Amino acid sequence: MLPAAAEVSMSAIRVVLFSCLFSAACSSGAPAPTTEGFPAPAYASLATDHTQLSVELRTAPAQPPTRGTSSAELRVHDASGKARDGLALTVTPWMPAHGHGTSVMPVVTPTGDGAYVVEQLAFTMPGTWELRIAMTGEGGFEDHATTTIEVR
């Protein structure tokens, strides 16, 4: 049999361990970003700086996105409406009011038919953000586009 002080210490340890395990099991964290299920209507449509291309933006899991990690789909078309594949895209989230971006670099994956999925869009706080999109392609092609997003 343990002395009374040791029994109290063991009880306290059990309570702390149970609390830690319960907390870990019940925490939901942020939902994982999704690359499926982008909504049909675009959140934003924009022309590139040189007006060579048009870009439609859709976000998931919410549109507009909320604070945390989101995904986006960019659909790129030329002036005739033809889907534009074969581009390398770089997407930079930027919060102009605070003069900063994020520490997480989004990953862009082409999925065909002019669509590019952007994962790991980390919006660290609600407010007005910009998505700065740089596009390069064969033959020295280079263009840019920027759109504003209201993160909730």
Side-chain angles (χ1 to χ4, degrees), residues 84-97:
R84 181 69 191 265
D85 288 319
L87 297 174
L89 274 63
T90 302
V91 177
T92 304
W94 186 257
M95 192 169 207

Side-chain angles (χ1 to χ4, degrees), residues 53 55-56 73-76 84-92 105-110 114-118 132-137 141 143:
L53 303 174
V55 181
E56 291 181 344
E73 179 187 58
L74 301 172
R75 294 185 190 173
V76 182
R84 181 69 191 265
D85 288 319
L87 297 174
L89 274 63
T90 302
V91 177
T92 304
M105 192 64 182
V107 176
V108 181
T109 305
Y116 299 82
V117 172
V118 184
R132 297 177 176 180
I133 305 162
M135 296 171 250
T136 57
F141 173 83
D143 210 342

Side-chain angles (χ1 to χ4, degrees), residues 1-23:
M1 183 140 180
L2 293 173
E7 285 185 40
V8 170
S9 289
M10 291 303 289
S11 293
I13 290 171
R14 284 187 196 107
V15 168
V16 169
L17 285 173
F18 176 78
S19 296
C20 291
L21 289 172
F22 182 77
S23 175

Side-chain angles (χ1 to χ4, degrees), residues 57-77:
L57 167 69
R58 291 162 176 78
T59 61
Q63 193 162 270
T66 57
R67 179 178 173 247
T69 303
S70 294
S71 296
E73 179 187 58
L74 301 172
R75 294 185 190 173
V76 182
H77 297 90

Side-chain angles (χ1 to χ4, degrees), residues 94-100 128-130 132:
W94 186 257
M95 192 169 207
H98 294 184
H100 66 74
T128 302
W129 286 79
E130 292 177 348
R132 297 177 176 180

Side-chain angles (χ1 to χ4, degrees), residues 46 68 80 87 99 102 104:
L46 54 147
S80 69
L87 297 174
T102 66
V104 178

